[in-house]
Amino acid sequence: MPVTSDPPEQLTLLRETVRKSRTKQPAGITSPLPVARIAVDIPLPHLDRPFDYLVADDVAEAAQPGTRVKVWFAGKDLDGFILERLAESSHEGKLSRIRKVVSPEQVLTPEIADLCRAVADRYAGVLPDVTRLAVPPRHAKVEGEPLRCDQPPRPPLSTSRSAWAPYPSGFLEALERAETPRAVWTAVPGADWALALAQAAAVCSAAGRGALLLAPDARDLERLATACTAVLGEGGFVTLSADLGPTARYRSFLKVVRGNARVVIGTRAAAFAPVANLGLVAMWDDGDDSYAEARAPYPHAREVLLLRAFKQNCAALLGGFARSAEAAAVIESGFAAELIADRTVIRAAAPSVHITGESDVDLARDPAARAARIPHRAFEIAREGLKTGPVLIQVPRAGYLPSLVCQTCRETSRCSTCAGTLRRTGSSGPPSCSICGRPAADHRCPECGDNRMRAAVVGALRTAEELGRAFPGVLVRSSGGDHMLDHISGKPALIVTTPGAEPVAEGGYTAALLMDTWLMLSRPDLRAPEEAVRRWLNAAALVRPASEGGTVILVGDPSDIPLQAIVRWSPEGFATREIEERRTARLAPAAKLAELTGPSEAVTDLLDRLRPLLPATAGLEVLGPVEVDEETVRAIVRTPRAAGPQLARSLKEAQAARTTKKNPGSVRVQ
């Protein structure tokens, strides 16, 4: 090769020679696309990028994008997914070969791989953590089962749109035209939300597009499956849920991958379902904390669906009786419109809602109405409701007496062994520790020496016992914890439940008493008021309309704003107020926050690396660190919402710098 005196030109020629030498394929590699770009399962932030490998002829046919492979990396055999096949690599060194194609099933489709990358970037995570959420573990036996695709997806059994009659037209019509409407849907009280979602999926399916519907838990998913069976037919949809078990879940997943299902329903595990030609993503009750993933990088199913709607250009629907602050922020941003019935329709469908002690008449009849746990008026409403049907009693705490305090000084009663709080699990027997379970028959208060205790909070079981004595001859049933009721008849009965465990009553409840509202509002949580309103609206929506005698009694302070939102039945107004208050306080979703938890030295090091990475215009603010325990501290970093992507990138870059240097200590970023 001739050498010139100009160093840049000489360097260019050398690089061209190296590139040409790389294009010469090694022995045993004759494919026109000899390079595979692979997402290797490495949880380290500084290695969160694809790597190129050679594809030998013996695996070239099976090594397609989306398949699982084994590759050699850093002296280990690691798993990975092929993202794409290329004619040549930009890597200047020698490439290793794929060691093995684990399965020819293309389980990571290009659309889902792109979504996983977007979710990882949004939550300052790494791609392998997200693909682990998106693709269930492999079961070879299931892959060997015969493929049943002898007929295309069948048309829906029903074309009815009855569940959407109370709302302004436009959403389903846009779906029918294969357009991409996006809406935050506030359901009218008593609405059959499962039927409404099934009918929306049917419209989408009839237009030749796929639909993905999410429910928060197994009980709601079963209700959704029943509605989909009635509308779409027995084989018209596939259920994806972690509760199915590994084998059944992977079998359902393969049906979706192979194109045997046009409609998919599930819990948060189905948010990444590879539905072909996706036309609609929808979820019910997006404020439910069941949608928040407990594994890194801790994505929320709502954000995953909204990202899918944006990246795959499909319709989106967030539904609920309540409205979360995040849903209100989506409307405010212009990404989605509000879908809500006229106020006259809402008033006609809603029960009559009252707060104990809200009027002078109540106080004159019962001076203790605001202090009593079950005021006289609540008893009257329950007694009247039991004449024609079941009455719902919602109690915020499960158990019998879940927390005890000293009778004299009100000091919390604690176990002498582990300092756990004492409780009673039944009407007989001594109190026991809620942590270690040891009985505390001889407990004395360390502050005053009294051996008497009283309840700080009354649980659902004790409430059921008290009501059974107050209403002799009336059937009293409990729902909550390990014993959940899904449906009950319309016969008179008292149904005592914890929040979220309310069964559906045939014909609706005649009345509902929502007890101890102060307890739900006093939880040490930013979302306590929002969560309380969501729980109360979900329970109140099961009650008959006021025109049929349906009544809801809230036992609490009439001046509390969340209780007033239930009286007015205005979830949209409460959500707007909530987001305004959070904007003033610079809290999510009006701001972008990240929680950093780990050893003190590691958290401090990460903060020191983070600050120079963000420009002054990003408005970074650091709160803490504060001690969590002897070995762990927590810090909160926040920026304005618009600087959220910058914050996520910078956090990941700072984490990558730490792992590159192999600094001690692991920091959890959420």
Side-chain angles (χ1 to χ4, degrees), residues 456-507:
V457 178
V458 177
L461 293 179
R462 174 59 181 266
T463 302
E465 183 181 284
E466 292 175 350
L467 291 171
R469 291 195 295 264
F471 295 94
V474 176
L475 175 65
V476 180
R477 303 183 68 183
S478 298
S479 177
D482 296 331
H483 179 67
M484 303 278 278
L485 301 175
D486 295 331
H487 296 86
I488 62 167
S489 69
K491 297 179 180 179
L494 285 170
I495 311 299
V496 183
T497 80
T498 52
E502 301 88 359
V504 177
E506 183 181 346

Side-chain angles (χ1 to χ4, degrees), residues 205-496:
S205 178
R209 304 191 71 184
L212 173 59
L213 314 178
L214 298 191
D217 53 41
R219 295 171 73 237
D220 288 328
L221 183 60
E222 183 180 352
R223 187 176 175 185
L224 181 58
T226 302
C228 286
T229 301
V231 175
L232 301 169
E234 194 69 43
F237 64 98
V238 165
T239 301
L240 269 180
S241 169
D243 293 336
L244 293 175
T247 303
R249 180 187 175 192
Y250 193 60
R251 183 179 292 113
S252 296
F253 179 80
L254 286 185
K255 288 181 182 179
V256 182
V257 169
R258 295 169 177 176
N260 292 3
R262 187 172 282 166
V263 177
V264 175
I265 68 171
T267 52
R268 71 166 185 261
F272 294 91
V275 182
N277 192 23
L278 188 61
L280 170 69
V281 293
M283 69 190 310
W284 175 254
D285 202 8
D286 70 286
D288 195 304
D289 55 11
S290 298
Y291 286 122
E293 179 58 57
R295 293 172 291 175
Y298 319 106
H300 194 286
R302 175 186 53 244
E303 308 305 320
V304 175
L305 292 194
L306 292 178
L307 274 172
R308 290 194 77 167
F310 174 74
K311 298 186 75 63
Q312 297 182 238
N313 193 31
C314 66
L317 184 65
L318 304 180
F321 292 118
R323 181 179 295 180
S324 66
E326 282 76 12
V330 171
I331 296 175
E332 190 179 76
S333 70
F335 185 77
E338 182 181 61
L339 181 57
I340 188 170
D342 187 79
R343 287 300 301 178
T344 56
V345 176
I346 295 174
R347 291 192 191 99
S352 175
V353 183
H354 303 279
I355 306 173
T356 54
E358 65 184 351
S359 67
D360 294 338
V361 175
D362 289 342
L363 293 176
R365 295 179 61 189
D366 183 8
R370 291 183 181 175
R373 183 164 187 261
I374 308 180
H376 180 69
R377 186 184 182 190
F379 271 110
E380 289 182 339
I381 294 295
R383 186 176 294 110
E384 187 67 25
L386 285 170
K387 295 178 180 179
T388 55
V391 173
L392 177 68
I393 315 289
Q394 187 195 77
V395 182
R397 291 289 292 271
Y400 190 79
L401 297 179
S403 180
L404 297 173
V405 297
C406 175
Q407 174 76 29
T408 302
C409 67
R410 302 297 192 267
E411 182 70 21
T412 301
S413 300
R414 297 189 177 276
C415 174
S416 59
T417 303
C418 70
T421 56
L422 297 184
R423 64 179 180 179
R424 284 190 183 275
T425 57
S427 57
S428 61
S432 61
C433 178
S434 60
I435 296 178
C436 68
R438 294 175 183 271
D442 56 351
H443 174 81
R444 284 187 177 275
C445 177
E447 296 295 324
C448 67
D450 196 343
N451 63 352
R452 297 173 300 166
M453 289 177 279
R454 61 168 290 166
V457 178
V458 177
L461 293 179
R462 174 59 181 266
T463 302
E465 183 181 284
E466 292 175 350
L467 291 171
R469 291 195 295 264
F471 295 94
V474 176
L475 175 65
V476 180
R477 303 183 68 183
S478 298
S479 177
D482 296 331
H483 179 67
M484 303 278 278
L485 301 175
D486 295 331
H487 296 86
I488 62 167
S489 69
K491 297 179 180 179
L494 285 170
I495 311 299
V496 183

